[in-house]
Amino acid sequence: VDLGVILALASALDNKRIQRDLIVFGEVGLAGEVRKVSFAEKRIKEAVKLGFRECLMPCGNLLEKGGFDIKISEITNIKEALKKME
């Protein structure tokens, strides 16, 4: 939830919309690093079922590579996440 909340706040401050078909997940540390979370594959599979087309998630979080009908962008910190939002 950390990453989603931070991006929601950033979009509100910049008055920019987050894509409707984007899902984000990841824990954020005090230094701005984005950390892995549990059950990444399950989260992505459920997001695809719900119609999401793009996923922003922690780097190295996937055990299974490929096979998902969704564009996956991996990030390591908040700066990278904010750049993806531009």
Side-chain angles (χ1 to χ4, degrees), residues 68-83:
F68 300 106
D69 192 21
I70 191 169
K71 178 185 174 193
I72 297 175
S73 299
E74 295 181 302
I75 56 163
T76 58
N77 58 50
I78 293 298
K79 275 187 180 180
E80 291 176 10
L82 293 173
K83 283 184 184 177

Side-chain angles (χ1 to χ4, degrees), residues 3-37:
L3 184 58
V5 170
I6 289 170
L7 293 181
L9 289 171
S11 75
L13 287 172
D14 290 344
N15 202 24
K16 291 183 182 176
R17 250 185 172 176
I18 296 176
Q19 299 167 230
R20 293 189 126 179
D21 60 352
L22 173 70
I23 183 170
V24 300
F25 59 86
E27 292 185 15
V28 179
L30 293 175
E33 73 276 9
V34 178
R35 298 183 190 146
K36 298 178 187 179
V37 295

Side-chain angles (χ1 to χ4, degrees), residues 42-79:
K42 284 185 178 182
R43 294 172 194 238
I44 293 170
K45 287 176 184 175
E46 191 62 30
V48 170
K49 287 181 191 175
L50 294 171
F52 290 94
R53 295 185 179 186
E54 189 171 353
C55 177
L56 190 60
M57 61 180 285
C59 190
N61 207 158
L62 284 178
L63 299 175
E64 303 173 20
K65 292 289 183 183
F68 300 106
D69 192 21
I70 191 169
K71 178 185 174 193
I72 297 175
S73 299
E74 295 181 302
I75 56 163
T76 58
N77 58 50
I78 293 298
K79 275 187 180 180

